[in-house]
Amino acid sequence: MTDAVGSIDTPDARDEMQEPKKARKGGKRAKKGPLKRLAIFYRQVIAELRKVVWPTRNQLTSYTTVVIFFVAIMIALVTVIDYGLNHAATYVFG
């Protein structure tokens, strides 16, 4: 018999007819106890922290200075806007 499109003799058609494999319940996690999983998590956290590029003391000082300066500017801006809106509301509503 010649293979035609959709023929039952084609390898693809035979694969589709087989039942799918059953999935395992739980996988690898179900075999390990809670303390073992906690230990693995702790080791993974330590491994990730070792990958972090920590700033030098000079970089940390400059970053901190920039953040404090930016926060001071934003506080001043919000204060000026609040003061202006307060006076505008007092003027409008008496």
Side-chain angles (χ1 to χ4, degrees):
M1 181 175 200
T2 59
D3 290 339
V5 177
S7 172
I8 202 150
D9 294 332
T10 59
D12 293 336
R14 272 187 257 131
D15 291 341
E16 291 174 3
M17 292 174 59
Q18 295 175 356
E19 293 181 20
K21 295 180 181 178
K22 294 180 181 178
R24 293 188 314 180
K25 288 186 179 178
K28 293 182 181 179
R29 277 195 212 159
K31 295 179 183 178
K32 297 176 184 168
L35 292 178
K36 183 108 175 166
R37 287 186 297 192
L38 188 63
I40 290 172
F41 174 74
Y42 179 72
R43 274 185 263 151
Q44 289 175 346
V45 167
I46 298 299
E48 288 297 322
L49 284 175
R50 287 186 180 154
K51 294 178 187 177
V52 172
V53 179
W54 297 98
T56 63
R57 189 172 204 73
N58 289 337
Q59 289 174 332
L60 187 62
T61 304
S62 65
Y63 295 160
T64 304
T65 305
V66 167
V67 167
I68 290 173
F69 182 71
F70 178 76
V71 168
I73 295 279
M74 292 308 294
I75 288 172
L77 182 65
V78 169
T79 302
V80 167
I81 291 172
D82 184 49
Y83 182 76
L85 289 175
N86 185 22
H87 277 291
T90 304
Y91 177 76
V92 169
F93 297 110

